Amino acid sequence: MNTALLMMDRTPSGIWQNLRLVPLFSLIFGGILLLFALCIGVASYFLILGNHSLSDATDEIQVRMGISNSSNHLRTARLTVIQAGAAARIGEMDEFRANLASAEKRIQQAKDGFKLYADRKVKSPEDVALNATLQALFNDYIEKGLIPMINAGKQGSFEGIIAQETDVTRKLDADYNAVLLTAIKIRTDRANAITAEANHQSRIGFIAMAVAFSAALVLVLLTFVFLRRVVINPLRQSVSRIERIAQGDLTAPPLPHGRSEISTLIHNLQLMQQSLVKTVGTVREGAVAIYQGSSEISAGNTDLSSRTEQQAAALEQTAASMEQLTATVKQNAENAHHASQLAADASGKARSGGDLVSGVVKTMTNILALNAAVEAARAGE
């Protein structure tokens, strides 16, 4: 285990362990923001193109309606002049004047519509080639067709109106509308082209946004892979190491670490494990030393106990000898008292006879000899 811990700092680390979290997340969020900006830019670009196409289509519709309405207004003016002549013929002068005013108004509206066409912004070579012919036919329609009909109506000649309509104006209307239809077809083709271009731009916009969305999805998946490799897995390994340390297992194998924040955490955990191993080793050595000292103290206590028991036995023997000595002294004192009494008796009887004295002396001498023998025997014990 110590060898593994010593080799812990020498374990090679891969590129994942050297990825710093702050630059990594900055790169990921920067990429996401860039994709969002790209999507917004692409959408804005194609929105602008769509607005331009819509503006062009609106202008084209107005141009086409202007040239188309010029013919409609001229035809309405023709019918109004005929109605004015009919009113004059039956004496309805108010209606006559109203119809003439309406016809002149229609002619002015036709001129405004034709001017809108003439002032169009976009001119193709095809419709430019028709400009002179269309302008001449439009002017002839008014000057040679409608104006004479209005003048005939003002003169009260209904027959002149009908003759002008039948012989001249109708033919001028057919000539003008023949060229007009060609011009309208050109404008219709251009409107269709604008619509097709707008649809193409919309498809490109949708494709660009789909590509940007796909790129964002790929970036999110890569972000998940990065987080799993750089953050989630190392954190799980760190938690597993901490749980093993908490359970008292200090044999967790070394893990490679780099310069990232998570790698720094793993490195510090491994350093903590090394410190704990050293601390446990030191405590173990101290426990062994304490055990050895306790064994020695236990052996000394056993020896001391044995000696104490021996001294206690000796003390018990000494106490027994002291009791015997005390009894002997007491007996000697009694014997001495008895001897004193005997001596008193002997002194009293000394006067009685020398024989008794001699007997008493001999008795005392025997007693003293006996006492000396007893004391010698006790002293020997």
Side-chain angles (χ1 to χ4, degrees), residues 2 9 96 315:
N2 293 333
D9 293 333
F96 167 73
L315 288 175

Side-chain angles (χ1 to χ4, degrees), residues 284-300:
R284 182 179 296 174
E285 293 176 356
V288 171
I290 292 173
Y291 175 76
Q292 292 176 351
S294 300
S295 299
E296 294 177 356
I297 293 173
S298 176

Side-chain angles (χ1 to χ4, degrees), residues 299-320:
N301 288 335
T302 302
D303 184 63
L304 179 61
S305 176
S306 176
R307 292 181 181 180
T308 302
E309 291 178 355
Q310 293 176 358
Q311 291 178 358
L315 288 175
E316 289 179 357
Q317 293 177 357
T318 303

Side-chain angles (χ1 to χ4, degrees), residues 46-302:
F46 285 103
L47 179 62
I48 293 172
L49 291 180
N51 289 333
H52 288 167
S53 298
L54 179 62
S55 178
D56 292 341
T58 302
D59 294 340
E60 194 60 39
I61 290 172
Q62 291 178 352
V63 170
R64 187 172 58 181
M65 288 182 62
I67 189 65
S68 178
N69 289 334
S70 68
S71 176
N72 295 331
H73 288 309
L74 291 178
R75 288 179 175 178
T76 303
R78 285 164 54 196
L79 294 175
T80 305
V81 171
I82 293 172
Q83 291 174 357
R89 188 172 185 178
I90 62 175
E92 295 289 339
M93 300 308 296
D94 292 337
E95 184 178 353
F96 167 73
R97 285 189 292 269
N99 286 332
L100 287 181
S102 176
E104 291 175 349
K105 182 179 179 181
R106 291 288 184 174
I107 291 172
Q108 183 59 44
Q109 289 175 347
K111 289 180 179 180
D112 293 338
F114 190 86
K115 184 177 183 301
L116 181 63
Y117 171 78
D119 295 338
R120 63 193 181 278
K121 296 179 181 180
V122 179
K123 298 179 180 180
S124 64
E126 296 177 351
D127 60 2
V128 170
L130 297 176
N131 283 345
T133 303
L134 193 63
Q135 182 70 53
L137 292 173
F138 179 76
N139 292 334
D140 290 343
Y141 198 150
I142 295 175
E143 298 297 334
K144 296 180 180 181
L146 289 176
I147 296 301
M149 289 178 66
I150 292 173
N151 291 333
K154 289 180 179 181
Q155 294 174 2
S157 176
F158 180 74
E159 291 77 4
I161 294 173
I162 297 301
Q164 179 67 22
E165 161 66 20
T166 303
D167 298 337
V168 179
T169 306
R170 187 174 296 177
K171 183 177 182 301
L172 292 174
D173 179 77
D175 294 339
Y176 177 67
N177 279 282
V179 180
L180 180 66
L181 291 176
T182 303
I184 290 176
K185 183 178 182 304
I186 293 173
R187 308 318 302 182
T188 302
D189 293 341
R190 170 166 162 70
N192 293 333
I194 292 174
T195 302
E197 183 180 0
N199 292 332
H200 177 68
Q201 291 171 353
S202 298
R203 285 194 299 271
I204 294 177
F206 286 134
I207 292 172
M209 286 188 288
V211 170
F213 178 77
S214 300
L217 182 61
V218 171
L219 184 59
V220 170
L221 293 177
L222 292 177
T223 301
F224 175 75
V225 173
F226 287 157
L227 290 177
R228 187 176 181 86
R229 294 291 299 273
V230 177
V231 177
I232 298 176
N233 288 341
L235 285 179
R236 287 179 177 174
Q237 294 173 354
S238 300
V239 170
S240 176
R241 181 179 292 272
I242 292 173
E243 289 177 351
R244 293 182 64 175
I245 292 174
Q247 294 173 0
D249 184 6
L250 301 178
T251 61
L255 296 174
H257 58 84
R259 296 186 300 272
S260 66
E261 290 81 355
I262 303 299
S263 297
T264 302
L265 173 63
I266 294 175
H267 176 62
N268 290 328
L269 283 176
Q270 294 177 160
L271 292 178
M272 181 185 72
Q273 182 177 339
Q274 292 183 24
S275 300
L276 288 175
V277 169
K278 293 179 181 179
T279 302
V280 170
T282 302
V283 171
R284 182 179 296 174
E285 293 176 356
V288 171
I290 292 173
Y291 175 76
Q292 292 176 351
S294 300
S295 299
E296 294 177 356
I297 293 173
S298 176
N301 288 335
T302 302

Side-chain angles (χ1 to χ4, degrees), residues 345-359:
D345 291 336
S347 179
K349 292 178 179 181
R351 289 185 298 269
S352 299
D355 293 335
L356 290 174
V357 173
S358 297

